[in-house]
Amino acid sequence: GQNIDQPTEMTATEGAIVQINCTYQTSGFNGLFWYQQHAGEAPTFLSYNVLDGLEEKGRFSSFLSRSKGYSYLLLKELQMKDSASYLCAVRDLTGFQKLVFGTGTRLLVSP
Amino acid sequence: ETGVTQSPTHLIKTRGQQVTLRCSSQSGHNTVSWYQQALGQGPQFIFQYYREEENGRGNFPPRFSGLQFPNYSSELNVNALELDDSALYLCASSLGPDQPQHFGDGTRLSIL
C-alpha cells in the first residue's frame, strides 16, 4: 500500500524559518518531490530527492532519509508570497513510475 | 509558466454527460500524466501516457479514458459523469516517465 502523511496546516511569520515534514510508506520508492500550490493554481515543482541528504535551492531546502521514510522541506526567510499549500509526492516504482501525493500542508505566513 | 497548457479552464456539465479535456505538453516532453484533485486534497493519479501508449493507470474506473497524439498532446475523456467527478483535473508533462513532472493550470470541472 501507499501512505503519505503531512501536517494539514502550519503558520509562521515573515522572515522566519519553517520546516514541513512528510512521512511515507510505499511498496516501491524512486524519489520524493515537493511541489508548491497557490490557491486555484497548478502545483509548481520545488525539489527532488532520490538519495539521502539535503538538497539546497536558494531559500528552499529538502531533506530525505529513505531508511526512515521521512522528508522535510525547509523554507528560510519566509515571505508573504510563500503562503500556499506544499505537496509531498513519492514516485512509486511498482510496475511503472507514478507520483503519489499527500494531501498537502497549507502554510500561512503572517506579517 | 511551465509551458503545459490545458483547455478549457472551466467547464460545467450535468450528470450522465461526457467530457473531453485537452493538454498540450511542454516542448520536448514525451510523457503526460493526468491527475484528479478534489478540494482540499492532493492530486490523485489517473493514468500516464508515454510515446502514445498508456504507461500505467491509477484506481479510476474505465469510464476515464485517454489518448496521446504523435505531437505528445493528450486528451482525458470521462463518460457518464457523476457528481463526485467535480474536481480540478491536472495534466503534467515530463521529459520521460522518470523525470520531474511539470503541471498545467488545470481544468476545473463542475458537475450539476
Side-chain angles (χ1 to χ4, degrees), chain A residues 19-94:
Chain A
Q19 177 175 312
I20 303 174
N21 296 324
C22 171
T23 58
Y24 64 89
Q25 293 172 316
T26 58
S27 46
F29 177 84
N30 191 28
L32 187 142
F33 297 77
W34 284 95
Y35 284 83
Q36 179 192 62
Q37 187 175 27
H38 285 99
E41 298 181 12
T44 55
F45 170 72
L46 290 178
S47 70
Y48 167 58
N49 296 69
V50 66
L51 299 175
D52 291 351
L54 189 68
E55 293 284 338
E56 297 187 78
K57 216 177 187 181
R59 294 190 298 114
F60 294 1
S61 304
S62 57
F63 172 82
L64 175 68
S65 168
R66 288 172 296 171
S67 62
K68 295 181 180 177
Y70 167 70
S71 173
Y72 67 72
L73 179 70
L74 193 71
L75 293 77
K76 303 176 187 174
E77 301 168 18
L78 280 173
Q79 302 174 10
M80 298 295 288
K81 68 178 182 179
D82 296 331
S83 293
S85 283
Y86 291 86
L87 300 163
C88 171
V90 171
R91 187 159 62 198
D92 190 315
L93 198 51
T94 309

Side-chain angles (χ1 to χ4, degrees), chain A residues 30 33 35 37 40-43 45 48 87 91 96-99 101-104, chain B residues 35 37 40-43 45 48 55-57 90 97-101 103-105:
Chain A
N30 191 28
F33 297 77
Y35 284 83
Q37 187 175 27
E41 298 181 12
F45 170 72
Y48 167 58
L87 300 163
R91 187 159 62 198
F96 65 97
Q97 303 197 41
K98 65 177 184 183
L99 288 183
F101 282 85
T103 55
Chain B
Y35 294 83
Q37 187 175 22
Q41 301 296 313
F45 177 78
Q48 181 182 87
N55 191 43
R57 190 178 182 91
L90 294 163
D98 61 344
Q99 297 299 308
Q101 297 180 11
F103 286 83
D105 288 336

Side-chain angles (χ1 to χ4, degrees), chain B residues 16-105:
Chain B
Q17 285 189 308
Q18 177 266 344
V19 70
T20 298
L21 309 182
R22 295 179 174 83
C23 172
S24 293
S25 57
Q26 190 177 130
S27 178
H29 287 193
N30 58 23
T31 304
V32 171
S33 303
W34 285 92
Y35 294 83
Q36 180 194 67
Q37 187 175 22
L39 202 61
Q41 301 296 313
Q44 298 293 311
F45 177 78
I46 303 174
F47 42 57
Q48 181 182 87
Y49 280 85
Y50 170 58
R51 296 191 174 189
E52 302 179 60
E53 298 284 333
E54 186 178 288
N55 191 43
R57 190 178 182 91
N59 294 326
F60 280 80
R63 60 188 185 85
F64 285 77
S65 63
L67 281 173
Q68 188 178 31
F69 299 99
N71 66 355
Y72 301 134
S73 65
S74 177
E75 285 183 356
L76 163 65
N77 299 291
V78 188
N79 293 324
L81 285 165
E82 300 176 1
L83 293 177
D84 285 349
D85 296 335
S86 294
L88 178 68
Y89 287 85
L90 294 163
C91 161
S93 75
S94 54
L95 283 168
D98 61 344
Q99 297 299 308
Q101 297 180 11
H102 300 273
F103 286 83
D105 288 336

